[in-house]
Amino acid sequence: MPNESLEQLKSLARSHGTTLFTVLSAGLRILLHRWSGHTDFVLGTVASSRSRSGTERMIGCFVNSLSLRNAVVANESAIDLLVREKKAIMDAFAHQDCPFAKIVEAVSTERTGTDNPIFNVGLVLQNFPVIAWDGRFFKVEYVNFDIRVALLDLRFVALETRGGLQLSCEYKSLLFSEETIDALLQAYAEVLQACAGHPALPVGDIALPEPLVR
């Protein structure tokens, strides 16, 4: 998505006192609702769990999974869904220190298979600056390591770049074809543009591209 579209999404977020991630999450929820027909489902994301004093300077990966539940209401507008998505995300991040494993224990006493027990669709926004440092005896740069394994059925990744917003999707190839994912990403971009350009539009009136409908 070009810079112009990205700025429209950011403007929508600012006008409702929320973040770009919230807009992306609401847009993804609309897309999945329109595609599947389901109204109540859980999206997943991750939080950088460095809220405790002393962890800011520690080396390591401090992340915790968060579950975002926000049912789509029939005939509501995209902006109404966005407002409730904001609350759902704020509530989730208010409890980000609660270990995901403890939540799983509380709602499901037995895990079966390798699927995530609470959500199978995830969303991540990567908007940190490109890392590149040079030292006296070393050089550091960011390297994208693709493990070629999908941990969720669908994991959408939004990346802010100099040219705009890049959308990609990790997926289980046993469940989805490459053509379906291409159509899904195109539809995601179109849903976001519809939300930014016409936030009062009813969710049910946001169209999907014909390839995804088929």
Side-chain angles (χ1 to χ4, degrees):
M1 301 182 67
N3 264 323
E4 181 182 357
S5 298
L6 175 58
E7 289 305 316
Q8 286 181 330
L9 295 174
K10 288 183 175 180
S11 176
L12 176 63
R14 287 193 299 268
S15 65
H16 290 83
T18 188
T19 63
L20 175 61
F21 176 80
T22 303
V23 173
L24 295 176
S25 180
L28 181 56
R29 197 175 297 278
I30 292 172
L31 170 64
L32 296 177
H33 161 66
R34 297 288 291 121
W35 190 34
S36 68
H38 294 291
T39 59
D40 190 5
F41 49 85
V42 179
L43 297 177
T45 190
V46 293
S48 177
S49 301
R50 292 180 180 266
S51 56
R52 295 188 180 183
S53 177
T55 60
E56 299 90 347
R57 299 178 61 84
M58 293 178 65
I59 297 175
C61 183
F62 295 83
V63 295
N64 188 34
S65 296
L66 296 182
S67 304
L68 310 174
R69 185 177 185 181
N70 182 20
V72 181
V73 179
N75 300 322
E76 70 177 334
S77 67
I79 204 64
D80 289 337
L81 177 61
L82 175 63
V83 171
R84 288 190 292 101
E85 193 76 12
K86 171 185 174 181
K87 183 179 185 305
I89 290 175
M90 291 179 65
D91 289 346
F93 274 87
H95 298 87
Q96 63 178 305
D97 289 332
C98 181
F100 183 70
K102 293 296 184 182
I103 297 176
V104 174
E105 290 178 7
V107 301
S108 177
T109 57
E110 183 178 353
R111 293 187 62 174
T112 59
T114 58
D115 289 340
N116 189 298
I118 296 181
F119 59 83
N120 274 308
V121 179
L123 172 65
V124 176
L125 171 62
Q126 296 180 350
N127 55 358
F128 45 81
V130 176
I131 299 174
W133 293 304
D134 291 333
R136 183 177 178 184
F137 300 109
F138 66 89
K139 181 178 180 180
V140 177
E141 63 182 33
Y142 175 79
V143 176
N144 184 26
F145 179 66
D146 186 358
I147 61 174
R148 308 292 295 178
V149 174
L151 301 179
L152 299 173
D153 292 350
L154 297 167
R155 180 175 179 266
F156 293 84
V157 180
L159 175 64
E160 283 194 58
T161 68
R162 293 179 179 177
L165 186 68
Q166 176 181 311
L167 300 175
S168 60
C169 181
E170 299 171 2
Y171 64 97
K172 289 188 177 180
S173 56
L174 291 177
L175 300 177
F176 304 98
S177 68
E178 184 176 347
E179 291 75 17
T180 299
I181 299 302
D182 286 342
L184 195 61
L185 286 171
Q186 180 62 38
Y188 189 19
E190 292 179 7
V191 167
L192 290 173
Q193 289 172 332
C195 291
H198 308 281
L201 187 68
V203 169
D205 290 347
I206 297 178
L208 295 183
E210 186 59 30
L212 193 60
V213 174
R214 293 198 304 269

